[in-house]
Amino acid sequence: MNDIYDAAAGAAILGSGGGGGYQDALMIINQLAGNPDWSGVVPVGDYDGSSPCSVIFMMGSPDAAGQMSLEELSACIGNALTVQTNVCGFTPTCTIPIETGPINSLAPVIAAALNLGGVTWVVDGDGAGRAVPELPQTTYAGSALPVAPCVVADNATVASQMQSGVLTTTSTPKVESLAGAAVKAFGSFAGVSMWQSASGNGYALTGNYIPGTLEQSRALGNFLRSSAQTDTATVAAKIASLTGRSAAAVVTNYYITQVTQATSSASLDAGVIRLDTDPDPAHSTNTVFLYNMNENLIAYSTAQATPLIIAPDSICYYSEDEKAGFSNATPDLAVYYDFTTGQSTGKKVSLVQVTAAPQLVSTPGVMESFTTLLRAIGYAGALPT
């Protein structure tokens, strides 16, 4: 059980503010611990190139979802897998996360733990090495994995009441648009199963995912939960050693002094978060603004004209006060920002920049997708090279 807590703790940092809420993840893991259907073991390993597999994840707004329970998550994922089996004619024996994040790293683990849809083990990897706002920003989107069928399902626990959709369009951006509409119709969150890897496509997951990300999250979480030395610079160094990517503490021990968030028509939480050197912005010597769409995408400082960090590099939250990462979900932010008073709670937060995984940025279409997304929120400058 400690491994699952560790994985969620690590993913809460590496998710770059997205991938689901950390507080929700902790609640779900607590519920899993007492679930009689779980044997206590979830096998994790590299993809073997011969097992039917599917990418599964939760899609939608963490804030609109509220406090997601184990029952809700497992119903969404179980429903999506059941419909997929009926449509595709095979049962996936393994699954893989779409991205790194507290909920979406956990969803495949839950599927294997509870044997949802016949899943028995989890592939150690994902499609981004961070959380991403949209499906085209993954390695899966630029691979030979089939974009259809994509199954979207709600959290009904009675089969006759289940709402689901099977999307059979021709491109990942079109799937993103259609799936977002379905999620909104279902109530702002849903389970998704897609990018099937099976004999018919030569088990196309092989070579088209970023390996080792689940273990990296687990090892980082274990370090956080067991080490006494957890200042931001040390955490950044640990991230670099685990991931093989550059990582640096860019903002250390600021305070969240303003949060402006809203849920978009595509069921994404978008907004701006302000960080200051003092809990009282009037006494701040520097201000940083974070622009997000579920995930953190741009960090600006008032001290310079160019962005501090910009996607696809990750802008990772870490708090030395809490020895934990967190997401942009309201229950996570509420630890650091009092939504009632509109003031900092006094707990400090830091930002760690982690360079994007080379496999992600080299995947056809990924950088173009990030560029389109950043332009849509008003950024007109250069992207990292």
Side-chain angles (χ1 to χ4, degrees), residues 146-370:
V147 69
C150 168
V151 178
V152 186
D154 73 356
N155 63 339
T157 55
V158 178
S160 61
Q161 298 175 359
M162 180 179 66
Q163 300 179 92
S164 66
V166 180
L167 310 178
T168 56
T169 189
T170 56
S171 72
T172 305
K174 290 180 179 178
V175 168
E176 172 70 37
S177 177
L178 292 172
V183 169
K184 183 179 180 182
F186 293 168
S188 296
F189 72 97
V192 182
S193 179
M194 62 181 295
W195 283 312
Q196 296 85 17
S197 179
S199 58
N201 54 48
Y203 298 101
L205 178 64
T206 304
N208 288 311
Y209 70 95
I210 300 170
T213 55
L214 194 55
E215 169 55 23
Q216 291 164 12
S217 293
R218 187 210 63 80
L220 177 60
N222 180 262
F223 172 75
L224 292 176
R225 286 164 29 91
S226 62
S227 175
Q229 187 179 11
T230 51
D231 61 275
T232 307
T234 299
V235 170
K238 187 67 175 179
I239 291 171
S241 69
L242 288 171
T243 64
R245 296 184 268 154
S246 298
V250 176
V251 170
T252 302
N253 291 334
Y254 278 42
Y255 302 85
I256 295 178
T257 58
Q258 187 177 33
V259 175
T260 304
Q261 298 276 86
T263 302
S264 74
S265 59
S267 292
L268 293 171
D269 295 329
V272 181
I273 294 173
R274 174 173 173 163
L275 295 87
D276 284 290
T277 58
D278 191 277
D280 182 352
H283 299 143
S284 179
T285 58
N286 187 43
T287 299
V288 170
F289 291 98
L290 273 178
Y291 290 74
N292 66 73
M293 192 172 290
N294 276 17
E295 288 72 33
N296 295 326
L297 297 176
I298 310 175
Y300 282 108
S301 168
T302 54
Q304 64 183 61
T306 58
L308 285 172
I309 319 169
I310 187 166
D313 286 357
S314 294
I315 308 170
C316 301
Y317 287 125
Y318 175 67
S319 170
E320 293 184 9
D321 288 343
E322 293 292 301
K323 290 181 58 177
F326 55 98
S327 78
N328 288 315
T330 295
D332 285 7
L333 291 175
V335 177
Y336 309 96
Y337 177 77
D338 189 326
F339 286 86
T340 302
T341 64
Q343 297 177 328
S344 167
T345 63
K347 290 186 180 291
K348 299 180 289 292
V349 303
S350 300
L351 301 179
V352 176
Q353 178 180 11
V354 182
T355 56
Q359 187 175 346
L360 178 65
V361 298
S362 65
T363 298
V366 165
M367 290 303 290
E368 291 91 336
S369 181
F370 271 111

Side-chain angles (χ1 to χ4, degrees), residues 22-49:
Y22 183 43
Q23 298 301 321
D24 281 351
L26 291 178
M27 181 176 68
I28 289 168
I29 298 169
N30 289 340
Q31 293 168 355
L32 178 65
N35 192 294
D37 295 327
W38 183 43
S39 67
V41 176
V42 177
V44 177
D46 296 332
Y47 187 54
D48 57 14

